[in-house]
Amino acid sequence: MHSRVVSLACIAGVLILLGIVAAQLLGTGGPGDRAYELEQRLRCPVCKSVSIAESPSETATAMRQVVQEQVAAGRDEEEIVDYFRSRYGDWVLLDPPAHGPTLLLWLLPVAGVLAGAAGLGVVLRRRRVVLVVPEDQRNQVAQALERARGTYRREDLL
């Protein structure tokens, strides 16, 4: 009885811990989480290949402050992103939108994969080897098969 109570208590404890972890993972983030997610999407104008969340530059620090202020003011993600796009253009987005001049950035990888697949198909089609066996060798193989078949009778195998 005692071991059963201990087992149930352990199972309950594990379930409670799993519930806490799931709530943290699935729960909606607060303003700090929203701000950080937005900061991850915006490029630092000084570092150029780093988000403002990761950049140590003063410009990135100022941009992070603006993001946090706008999140605290209740603006949604699209409004905040549009704010920075109006000042820096689409360049400020680490993932550029899939329209206009940046559409080519999204289509080039797809075109590359299609061209590679087509090239591979051509190479494999050309590599198809046609095995031509001379007539005398075909006759030798046929005779060897007949001899092999003749040495074993079906009745012997059953």
Side-chain angles (χ1 to χ4, degrees):
M1 176 75 174
H2 176 68
S3 63
R4 186 177 221 165
V5 171
V6 171
S7 296
L8 289 175
C10 288
I11 291 172
V14 168
L15 290 175
I16 290 171
L17 289 174
L18 284 174
I20 292 170
V21 169
Q24 288 295 320
L25 291 176
L26 299 175
T28 58
D33 291 340
R34 273 191 60 220
Y36 183 73
E37 288 175 12
L38 283 166
E39 292 165 6
Q40 290 283 57
R41 293 174 51 195
L42 298 172
R43 181 188 320 264
C44 174
V46 176
C47 303
K48 297 192 178 10
S49 63
V50 178
S51 71
I52 63 171
E54 299 166 354
S55 174
S57 73
E58 290 180 23
T59 304
T61 303
M63 290 173 76
R64 282 194 301 267
Q65 182 65 35
V66 170
V67 169
Q68 291 169 1
E69 288 170 0
Q70 290 195 9
V71 166
R75 292 204 172 97
D76 65 4
E77 290 182 21
E78 190 172 327
E79 290 175 324
I80 297 169
V81 169
D82 287 342
Y83 171 84
F84 285 100
R85 284 175 66 189
S86 69
R87 282 154 182 74
Y88 297 97
D90 286 338
W91 177 88
V92 77
L93 302 175
L94 283 173
D95 289 329
H99 61 70
T102 59
L103 183 62
L104 185 63
L105 293 173
W106 292 98
L107 294 179
L108 277 177
V110 174
V113 168
L114 292 176
L120 183 62
V122 168
V123 167
L124 291 177
R125 185 171 295 155
R126 287 185 182 171
R127 279 190 145 192
R128 188 177 298 166
V129 177
V130 177
L131 184 60
V132 178
V133 179
E135 185 70 30
D136 61 332
Q137 287 181 354
R138 272 191 266 154
N139 290 337
Q140 289 175 352
V141 170
Q143 290 171 1
L145 280 172
E146 286 300 320
R147 281 193 304 267
R149 287 182 187 147
T151 58
Y152 298 106
R153 291 184 305 194
R154 185 167 180 85
E155 298 84 32
D156 295 336
L157 296 174
L158 297 175

